[in-house]
Each structure stands twice: as structure tokens, then as C-alpha cells.
Amino acid sequence: GSQLRGLGIAPGGDLLLLTQDGAEAELRRVAAGGLDIGEPVQRLAMTASSLAVAADGRVAVGGRRNGDGVVALLSGSDLRWASLASEGDDRVDQLLFAGDDLIVGGRTGGTLGAARIGVTDAFIARISTDSGVVEEISQWGRPGSAAAPPIMSLAPRADSAV
């Protein structure tokens, strides 16, 4: 059966459900005030772990595919992919919209930033939602340790993630 991986509220109040069913993630929309889940509005070939919804309705789904961290960027009927891939095992754990950028938090078993430090390092990246290009990335860890997923928050009316 399907596993719930994320919830979001779309402009207009509709509920967005991100579920995982085997090798496919599914994004479903539940009308505001309703309970009918209906058919998926988008199917994605990935293992999903996170969902973010921007104030203007853009949607990002993060996770992994073939050992690489990936983000699906959806805007209306347009779908673009961004990849965070190293020589190791990578995954996207959390997403936040910040203006025209998407802030991505995850973990890597390789080198995405300056250098690999631990067994598994954490990272935060900034992706342009216009182009899908990774514009900046920071990686950190501790020698011999496996990093926990980063926990991020965006202050109201701020343009930086903490």
C-alpha cells in the first residue's frame, strides 16, 4: 500500500498529499473542505521524502533516485528535475521555498560541497526554481560519524534559512 510522505496546502486551500507506492511517488489533491482523494495529479519515478508548496502554487518534491538526491519542481503542467549527485549515496530530506529559490537539506556519502568529512555528511543547497540549477551548496560532518538530516526553518518575511 501507499505510505504518506508529505502534506501541503495549495493556494486556495486544497490539501496536497505526497505518497509513496513502490518505486513511484504520487502527488494527490484533495479539494478544500472535501475528503475525496481521487487519482494522482502527478506521478514521479523516485523515492520521495519531502514536499514543499510555495505561496504562488509551485510545488517541490524531494527524495532520491538511483542513489542520487533529486528534486522535482512542478509549476502548473511544467516539470523540471534538479539533481544533487556525488560519487556516494545522496538523498534530499527537507525543502523550503525562499522567494525564487528552493532551499534543500539532505545527506550525502560523497562530496557535494568542498570536501567529505564524515561517513555521511549533511548538506544545504540553494536551487533556482527558474532554471533548476544548483547555485550554492554547503556540506559538513564529523570524522567517523553519520550526520542526521538537517532541520531547517525559514523566518516569516526572511530570505535566509537557518
Side-chain angles (χ1 to χ4, degrees), residues 3-130:
Q3 294 179 331
L4 182 63
R5 297 291 173 95
L7 296 170
I9 303 293
D14 289 355
L15 176 66
L16 296 178
L17 300 170
L18 175 63
T19 60
Q20 187 72 41
D21 192 7
E24 198 170 67
E26 298 178 337
L27 187 62
R28 297 171 182 267
R29 182 180 295 268
V30 178
L35 294 176
D36 182 27
I37 294 174
E39 292 299 311
V41 294
Q42 185 73 52
R43 288 187 167 93
L44 303 163
M46 67 185 293
T47 301
S49 59
S50 54
L51 171 70
V53 182
D56 64 3
R58 292 172 294 157
V59 174
V61 176
R64 59 188 297 182
R65 180 171 59 191
N66 301 324
D68 295 336
V70 293
V71 176
L73 298 163
L74 300 115
S75 180
S77 61
D78 184 35
L79 170 63
R80 281 191 312 267
W81 291 91
S83 180
L84 294 127
S86 73
E87 72 284 3
D89 190 35
D90 309 308
R91 66 190 59 83
V92 171
D93 295 307
Q94 191 175 10
L95 303 166
L96 294 170
F97 278 100
D100 289 332
D101 294 327
L102 182 68
I103 308 301
V104 178
R107 292 168 286 164
T108 180
T111 303
L112 290 172
R116 181 174 161 198
I117 301 165
V119 175
T120 302
D121 288 351
F123 70 85
I124 293 180
R126 183 171 52 86
I127 297 175
S128 166
T129 56
D130 292 331

